[in-house]
Amino acid sequence: MKTCILVLSLIFFSSCSSMKKLAISNSVGVLEEGEKALNNEASYAFIKESALANIKTLEALHYASPEDEELISLLIKGYAGYSFAVLETEAFSDILLERSESEKIQLLKAGYTKAINFGIKYFELNGIKRKDLLSKNGMKLIEENISSPNSSDLKAMFFFAQALAGIFNLEKQNMYLLGSTPLVVGLMENVCGLKPNFENGACDLFQAVFEATKPAIMGGDIEKANKLFKNAFEKSPKNLLNSVTYMQYSLIPMMEEDEAYKVLKDLDKKFVDFDRQNNFGELIKKESSFPKELNLYNAIAKERFEKIKKLKKQLF
């Protein structure tokens, strides 16, 4: 009788565990579809209000299944993406005016730190300890331990690198962060070599930004960065975030006022077309020429563009 009860108990708990995994898997699938919907969102206000709720739902699922790599990869992407798309946009004026101690910039650092910590957890599950990951042998260990990266690996690698680069851009005098730049470069080259059009052109933009912000001692070259920005424009002319970011990291720091004003004038016209998607009264007259899969990028670009316009007298 005791044996029978033990067997039944094992079957029950095994069944519960399987049901739990299935429920989490189904939830992740729904949230991934929600991510696609967010990518098609043309209103920055709606993006700002909805993005964090999805991430917090993922985090709750993570607590229920702490070693689920797919969940962790989505959390790395979620926090890195939210930090870049929302927190960095909210802090954009402070970044441009170099108010490094502002509350918004501190919140931005907290967002990138969340992404980095989940990234460290991801690589630990793949046999790489934190101190080894951030050492000069970090990229070599990743290549050894993740020799054939799947979609979760690629997400984890790319957005972990983005978060590291994001916080480095906010603390360029931090020598500990400076030492992580080879890892950032290695991860980017790995992912973008396998998937050149990863996340609708994120590789082109990220590589241009990283080149523009990398210190000269690490091989940074603004002329090379400008060529990479030009390459991004040519590959994805409907992604207006490329132009706004070009102004942020090249034209504004180099005080290229005339060129910046030309870009602003050109963007003014293009955003009229893009904004049709947020006004059916205009949309019924004429469809917008901007593809929906770039709406997230362009909504961020529009918000940052407006902030540059307000500050242009202070910036030049």
Side-chain angles (χ1 to χ4, degrees):
M1 184 68 179
K2 288 182 179 179
T3 302
C4 183
I5 291 171
L6 179 59
V7 170
L8 288 172
S9 296
L10 287 170
I11 292 171
F12 173 75
F13 286 116
S14 176
S15 175
C16 286
S17 177
S18 297
M19 288 174 67
K20 180 180 173 182
K21 287 180 181 178
L22 180 61
I24 290 172
S25 178
N26 288 339
S27 299
V28 169
V30 171
L31 288 167
E32 283 184 316
E33 290 303 313
E35 180 188 306
K36 292 176 186 176
L38 189 65
N39 288 339
N40 290 342
E41 180 55 64
S43 166
Y44 174 75
F46 293 162
I47 293 165
K48 180 182 171 183
E49 291 301 317
S50 62
L52 190 57
N54 287 342
I55 298 168
K56 284 299 177 185
T57 301
L58 282 170
E59 206 160 359
L61 293 172
H62 166 65
Y63 279 110
S65 185
E67 296 191 351
D68 187 313
E69 290 186 11
E70 185 177 8
L71 265 176
I72 298 170
S73 74
L74 287 171
L75 281 164
I76 301 165
K77 178 181 179 179
Y79 273 112
Y82 178 73
S83 298
F84 175 76
V86 177
L87 298 180
E88 194 161 319
T89 302
E90 291 300 295
F92 198 62
S93 296
D94 289 339
I95 292 169
L96 293 175
L97 297 174
E98 298 182 343
R99 296 169 179 160
S100 59
E101 299 304 316
S102 79
E103 186 176 333
K104 289 179 179 178
I105 286 181
Q106 300 315 307
L107 187 58
L108 172 58
K109 290 179 185 179
Y112 279 133
T113 298
K114 291 276 279 186
I116 291 166
N117 285 335
F118 278 116
I120 289 168
K121 171 71 173 175
Y122 189 93
F123 292 113
E124 283 177 342
L125 288 173
N126 282 276
I128 307 168
K129 294 179 181 178
R130 171 180 170 157
K131 65 180 180 62
D132 296 325
L133 174 66
L134 300 176
S135 73
K136 63 180 181 180
N137 294 320
M139 194 61 222
K140 181 183 177 183
L141 290 169
I142 291 172
E143 290 172 342
E144 288 174 356
N145 285 268
I146 310 176
S147 56
S148 300
N150 58 32
S151 61
S152 293
D153 297 328
L154 293 173
K155 271 199 288 278
M157 291 161 69
F158 183 89
F159 289 102
F160 177 67
Q162 183 201 334
L164 272 176
I167 203 163
F168 170 70
N169 283 340
L170 301 170
E171 294 196 13
K172 291 180 183 176
Q173 304 307 313
N174 187 325
M175 297 306 293
Y176 290 98
L177 288 173
L178 182 64
S180 70
T181 52
L183 178 60
V184 173
V185 172
L187 288 168
M188 282 296 112
E189 289 178 348
N190 194 308
V191 175
C192 298
L194 291 169
K195 297 278 185 181
N197 196 39
F198 187 77
E199 294 288 323
N200 291 316
C203 284
D204 297 317
L205 181 59
F206 184 92
Q207 288 170 333
V209 169
F210 193 62
E211 189 62 41
T213 57
K214 195 165 52 174
I217 195 173
M218 298 296 292
D221 183 345
I222 193 64
E223 290 304 318
K224 183 179 177 182
N226 288 341
K227 288 178 182 177
L228 290 169
F229 277 120
K230 184 178 178 182
N231 181 54
F233 302 150
E234 290 173 353
K235 280 188 178 180
S236 188
K238 293 293 184 180
N239 185 343
L240 304 183
L241 187 58
N242 290 332
S243 295
V244 173
T245 307
Y246 170 55
M247 280 196 290
Q248 178 187 355
Y249 287 106
S250 180
L251 300 183
I252 292 172
M254 301 303 292
M255 298 297 291
E256 297 282 355
E257 183 176 359
D258 291 343
E259 180 63 20
Y261 275 54
K262 286 179 186 177
V263 174
L264 286 170
K265 188 175 180 180
D266 179 59
L267 285 172
D268 239 334
K269 297 174 184 176
K270 289 177 178 176
F271 278 124
V272 170
D273 183 8
F274 170 71
D275 279 343
R276 292 179 186 279
Q277 296 183 70
N278 290 316
N279 183 350
F280 188 72
E282 291 298 319
L283 201 57
I284 200 170
K285 298 176 191 175
K286 183 181 178 182
E287 288 285 339
S288 170
S289 68
F290 285 85
K292 288 186 178 180
E293 61 267 23
L294 293 177
N295 279 355
L296 176 65
Y297 290 142
N298 287 331
I300 297 165
K302 175 70 188 303
E303 190 72 12
R304 295 183 182 187
F305 164 76
E306 295 296 343
K307 293 186 178 188
I308 290 175
K309 284 208 302 184
K310 287 179 183 178
L311 294 172
K312 61 185 180 182
K313 289 184 180 179
Q314 293 171 258
L315 296 172
F316 297 105

